[in-house]
């Protein structure tokens, strides 16, 4: 019986956390998106470019750990190009570059790429796009 109550509680708290994650924010500064089954979005160990709600991102996955990098340059907001063979994210506007973790490799950018929140719940991927990053 204790196991059933524990499982029920875990299920409820997971559902409540997901409900809060997906709920619209009062200032409309971010929007949550249900991307469906994680395996259908990106394979384990892989990276993939996507556009979520009009925002270009690079998703990197290790198991259920998902990192979502914004692909807008932090210098003057140009769109970035991902070049996986060199492990770099490049900006054609002024020659800036970032590594695949979003750290600055080449100026003029001084700030790393921002990330967006990601959660995996019951095998589905949910991403909250923060508008202040876009
Ligand atoms: S906008 Fe990317 S380097 Fe200037």
């Amino acid at each position: 019986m204790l196991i059933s109550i524990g499982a029920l509680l875990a299920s409820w708290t997971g559902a409540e956390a997901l409900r809060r994650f997906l709920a619209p924010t009062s200032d409309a500064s971010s929007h949550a998106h249900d991307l469906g089954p994680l395996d259908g979005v990106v394979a384990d160990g892989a990276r993939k470019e996507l556009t979520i709600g009009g925002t270009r991102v690079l998703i990197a996955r290790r198991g259920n750990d998902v990192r979502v990098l914004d692909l807008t340059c932090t210098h003057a907001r140009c769109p970035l190009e991902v070049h996986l063979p060199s492990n770099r994210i490049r900006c054609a506007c002024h020659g800036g570059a970032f590594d695949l973790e979003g750290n600055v490799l080449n100026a003029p950018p001084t700030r790393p790429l921002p990330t967006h929140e990601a959660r995996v719940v019951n095998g589905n991927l949910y991403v909250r796009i923060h508008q202040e990053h876009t």
Side-chain angles (χ1 to χ4, degrees), residues 13-55:
T13 56
E16 179 60 15
L18 179 59
R19 186 193 65 74
R20 288 184 186 165
F21 184 74
L22 293 175
T25 58
S26 59
D27 62 3
S29 64
S30 65
H31 300 280
H33 300 267
D34 177 355
L35 301 186
L38 176 60
D39 288 333
V41 177
V42 61
D44 192 5
R47 289 182 162 85
K48 184 175 184 180
E49 288 182 61
L50 282 180
T51 299
I52 304 173
T55 299

Side-chain angles (χ1 to χ4, degrees), residues 27-95:
D27 62 3
S29 64
S30 65
H31 300 280
H33 300 267
D34 177 355
L35 301 186
L38 176 60
D39 288 333
V41 177
V42 61
D44 192 5
R47 289 182 162 85
K48 184 175 184 180
E49 288 182 61
L50 282 180
T51 299
I52 304 173
T55 299
R56 288 183 57 246
V57 298
L58 178 65
I59 294 183
R61 175 184 174 196
R62 289 251 179 251
N64 276 350
D65 183 26
V66 177
R67 183 172 166 91
V68 181
L69 273 183
D70 197 284
L71 288 177
T72 303
C73 187
T74 56
H75 175 235
R77 306 188 53 73
C78 284
L80 297 169
E81 301 165 5
V82 178
H83 190 251
L84 291 178
S86 66
N87 292 325
R88 287 186 175 228
I89 299 171
R90 301 171 176 165
C91 183
C93 288
H94 310 107

